[in-house]
Amino acid sequence: MKLAYSLVDWQALAPGLHGGEAWQDWAQKGFAIDPTEAMAKPQFLPMMTARRLSGGSRAAVECGLALLARQQADAIVFTSRHGELERNLRILHTLADHQSMSPTDFAMSVHNSAVGSLTIAAKAPLVSTSIAAGIDSFQQGLIEVSALHQAGYQQVLLVDFDGIVPDYYLPWLAEQRVNFSYAVALLLRAGEQLHCTGRTGRTGGEEEAETRLPQSLRFLQQWLAASPTFSLAGERLTWHWERNHG
């Protein structure tokens, strides 16, 4: 499998990281993201919408709105491994306790609620999809972006995000090395700036280096560090990236 893209623009949010300069410094120095740091307050997301969203979805919609404020997108792809996990656990506890369910929790519990909130807040009725594919959700989102490019959508907004995984689930997620809300938004065109080749198998070094961060954060880190080549290990494939500086 071979894919190619051009990265038009990007936006990201994580605890203690906001704005291009802070992210560039993080990529160059490679320090760990501190989950106790505060998330930047939304600048584009309406307050009433922000209050309805969970932490990960709030970051995702804010990043998407920031990009749509300065760029044009023809379609949107949202990817998230866990989606509304915090909210769904709260619903399960409510049902188990025979209590009345929150209408907001019920309405916002579905996996595509974040991308729907983005299109509503942006007043942009764009083609959109939402993908959950385990630890490979970001990689599968890139394949979806390529499919949309082939279908004629020139600029596709890809937003990868997740929120905090509740402690209840952590015993079943041994590979969950980081646990904080984050979002990475990329505006991608078909092009030759980035070439990607997927290969089966992975080396121990790749696995150790890459499971420390979600795939999208690892991608952004390598992009901002201007790495000429890098790899993103997945569950079944390792994606090898080559950057064309020409």
Side-chain angles (χ1 to χ4, degrees):
M1 179 183 62
K2 295 184 178 180
L3 304 173
Y5 310 92
S6 287
L7 178 56
V8 179
D9 203 351
W10 66 273
Q11 189 82 19
L13 271 176
L17 290 171
H18 174 65
E21 186 175 336
W23 280 104
Q24 190 74 52
D25 188 54
W26 166 77
Q28 295 293 336
K29 296 179 180 178
F31 57 81
I33 297 174
D34 184 353
T36 65
E37 293 282 345
M39 295 282 282
K41 293 183 179 180
Q43 298 180 11
F44 296 88
L45 187 58
M47 183 180 299
M48 291 301 295
T49 303
R51 291 178 61 184
R52 290 167 55 87
L53 296 172
S54 60
S57 294
R58 189 182 307 120
V61 177
E62 171 69 9
C63 286
L65 287 172
L67 274 185
L68 291 176
R70 59 180 186 260
Q71 303 283 355
Q72 179 178 344
D74 304 304
I76 304 171
V77 176
F78 265 41
T79 61
S80 176
R81 179 182 184 182
H82 301 298
E84 295 296 323
L85 197 58
E86 294 175 88
R87 195 184 300 275
N88 279 279
L89 181 62
R90 190 158 61 242
I91 289 174
L92 292 174
H93 279 307
T94 299
L95 292 173
D97 294 338
H98 303 286
Q99 300 295 318
S100 297
M101 189 185 305
S102 161
T104 298
D105 280 347
F106 179 77
M108 304 298 288
S109 64
V110 294
H111 194 270
N112 63 348
S113 63
V115 70
S117 296
L118 172 61
T119 57
I120 293 170
K123 297 181 174 62
L126 298 171
V127 169
S128 62
T129 187
S130 188
I131 293 173
I135 64 173
D136 293 335
S137 295
F138 175 68
Q139 291 184 356
Q140 294 304 308
L142 287 166
I143 295 174
E144 182 74 8
V145 169
S146 290
L148 288 166
H149 286 159
Q150 291 294 319
Y153 298 93
Q154 295 188 5
Q155 296 199 152
V156 180
L157 173 60
L158 171 62
V159 184
D160 181 71
F161 73 99
D162 258 314
I164 296 173
V165 176
D167 291 343
Y168 179 87
Y169 293 106
L170 292 179
W172 290 274
L173 295 168
E175 74 284 4
Q176 187 82 22
R177 302 290 186 90
V178 298
N179 194 15
F180 50 77
S181 297
Y182 73 90
V184 175
L186 310 172
L187 188 64
L188 297 164
R189 292 180 62 93
E192 299 299 320
Q193 192 179 38
L194 282 163
H195 290 265
C196 169
T197 303
R199 303 173 189 169
T200 57
R202 58 200 288 180
T203 68
E206 287 170 339
E207 181 175 5
E208 176 62 24
E210 298 196 33
T211 50
R212 295 192 190 112
L213 286 173
Q215 291 172 348
S216 60
L217 282 171
R218 173 72 173 164
F219 174 92
L220 182 62
Q221 183 183 55
Q222 297 303 306
W223 170 263
L224 294 177
S227 301
T229 61
F230 59 95
S231 297
L232 291 179
E235 192 170 22
R236 295 179 177 85
L237 290 175
T238 294
W239 287 33
H240 298 278
W241 291 84
E242 181 177 349
R243 183 172 181 167
N244 181 3
H245 290 275

